[in-house]
Amino acid sequence: MFSLPNKATIIEVGPRDGLQNEGKLVSTENKLEFIEALQGAGIEEMELTSFVSPKWVPQMADANEIVSAVQKTGRQFVLTPNEKGITSALQAGAKAVAVFVGVSNSFNKKNINKTTAESMEALKPLILKLKQDGLFVRACISTAFYCPFEGAIKPEATIELCRQFVEWGVDELSVADTIGMASPQESYALFNDLVEAFPDVLMTAHFHDTRKMALANIFAALQAGVSRFDSSAGGLGGCPFAPGATGNVATEDVVNMLHRMGIETGIDIDRLCEAIAKIEPHVSSSIATGMYTLYKNRA
């Protein structure tokens, strides 16, 4: 058996990444109830919402209300695409922000109408100012393995993009298989190189479950030295700018796998499933992930 960590950290992205592509508008009240239930299950790090244009992502129009009203426990991220988003987030009381960029130029253009280089040029002064002001900064690296428009991404391109963020002082890198095409071998290889190159930065793996490879990729990332994983309760999610990308890996399935392997997360899986049951009536599709299905049948 490869050397594996005793503990792992789950970063819950359901309230933001999970709901952003949901066609049925979820009320602020229901979102807050979902977030509170997730916190009650033991989740200490969470992506709450994003400060983006409601024109492009209507589901996130209540970002200010969410950040202002949510119970302040653990580390709570908000996604901020630009200076306007960062300003709004800070005014709402956010203490940890996430910025994002795609390794793929095509994806980046579809997402925010900028090339990757243009995005990085715009982000650099913002990140330096955020770090000067003492905020926690998370850099989300999209299309780190594959792009829906360009195909396979060279690992060197992903590593170089991460290097720029590290030089600017980010606290965390969240490296994403945005369309769920990575294999376990590719997961191990890239994360092994990233952990070796940037040992002083929090390294997080973000997998989508498009081809049912997410758990295998997480296991490979564990072997490469990663112990932080993004996941979405109920497997909710998908990227509106990445054709073919389905939901994120389900938090309850990740927690179950980790616990079965003797890796602690601090999360109560029954209470986690209770949180999913609270949001399920308010989303357009039925949730049918492995552990949640067992929970519902048992209940």
Side-chain angles (χ1 to χ4, degrees):
M1 191 68 169
F2 289 87
S3 177
L4 296 172
N6 295 320
K7 295 182 179 179
T9 299
I10 298 295
I11 299 89
E12 173 60 48
V13 302
R16 197 285 300 178
D17 199 6
L19 295 179
Q20 71 170 2
N21 205 33
E22 170 60 39
K24 181 180 177 181
L25 284 177
V26 181
S27 73
T28 303
E29 180 183 0
N30 291 141
K31 290 178 186 175
L32 289 171
E33 183 181 35
F34 181 42
I35 291 168
E36 183 178 357
L38 290 168
Q39 291 175 333
I43 291 173
E44 297 184 350
E45 297 196 41
M46 195 181 313
E47 201 175 66
L48 295 177
T49 185
S50 60
F51 284 81
V52 294
S53 170
K55 176 182 177 182
W56 300 113
V57 190
Q59 193 69 251
M60 299 291 108
D62 58 357
N64 189 74
E65 291 85 350
I66 292 293
V67 174
S68 299
V70 75
Q71 294 184 30
K72 305 298 190 291
T73 61
R75 183 180 291 138
Q76 301 168 347
F77 303 99
V78 294
L79 196 68
T80 54
N82 50 35
E83 185 174 9
K84 181 179 179 181
I86 289 172
T87 299
S88 298
L90 298 183
Q91 289 174 346
K95 301 299 182 185
V97 301
V99 298
F100 60 91
V101 67
V103 184
S104 155
N105 274 307
S106 300
F107 176 82
N108 221 60
K109 288 283 285 185
K110 290 279 187 180
N111 199 348
I112 54 175
N113 200 30
K114 290 181 179 179
T115 66
T116 300
E118 289 169 343
S119 289
M120 294 298 281
E121 183 179 3
L123 285 172
K124 181 178 180 179
L126 302 177
I127 291 171
L128 294 176
K129 180 64 165 59
L130 286 167
K131 290 311 304 170
Q132 183 181 359
D133 293 342
L135 275 82
F136 186 101
V137 179
R138 171 184 232 231
C140 299
I141 316 298
S142 302
T143 58
F145 293 88
Y146 288 88
C147 168
F149 312 106
E150 297 182 12
I153 299 296
K154 292 182 178 179
E156 295 80 8
T158 297
I159 293 169
E160 179 54 34
L161 192 64
C162 290
R163 188 180 307 280
Q164 292 180 59
F165 277 121
V166 172
E167 289 175 351
W168 301 342
V170 301
D171 300 279
E172 178 185 11
L173 294 166
S174 173
V175 180
D177 178 22
T178 306
I179 59 173
M181 283 189 65
S183 70
Q185 292 94 329
E186 291 167 321
S187 172
Y188 177 84
L190 180 59
F191 280 109
N192 185 65
D193 288 345
L194 287 169
V195 168
E196 184 175 301
F198 313 117
D200 299 324
V201 177
L202 293 174
M203 187 66 61
T204 300
H206 181 119
F207 291 107
H208 284 238
D209 208 21
T210 310
R211 291 160 183 80
K212 303 305 175 188
M213 298 276 274
L215 290 178
N217 280 319
I218 287 173
F219 183 66
L222 281 165
Q223 294 173 333
V226 176
S227 61
R228 293 173 60 84
F229 300 96
D230 289 347
S231 61
S232 176
L236 294 169
C239 178
F241 305 103
T246 59
N248 298 276
V249 65
T251 303
E252 61 275 19
D253 290 344
V254 177
V255 170
N256 175 64
M257 183 183 80
L258 294 173
H259 287 183
R260 290 291 303 275
M261 293 165 60
I263 301 172
E264 290 301 318
T265 65
I267 296 171
D268 183 315
I269 198 164
D270 286 329
R271 295 190 67 180
L272 174 60
C273 288
E274 290 171 8
I276 299 165
K278 290 180 182 294
I279 199 66
E280 185 176 22
H282 308 292
V283 295
S284 57
S285 57
S286 177
I287 297 171
T289 65
M291 287 308 297
Y292 183 57
T293 299
L294 291 174
Y295 167 82
K296 286 199 297 184
N297 290 339
R298 187 180 66 193

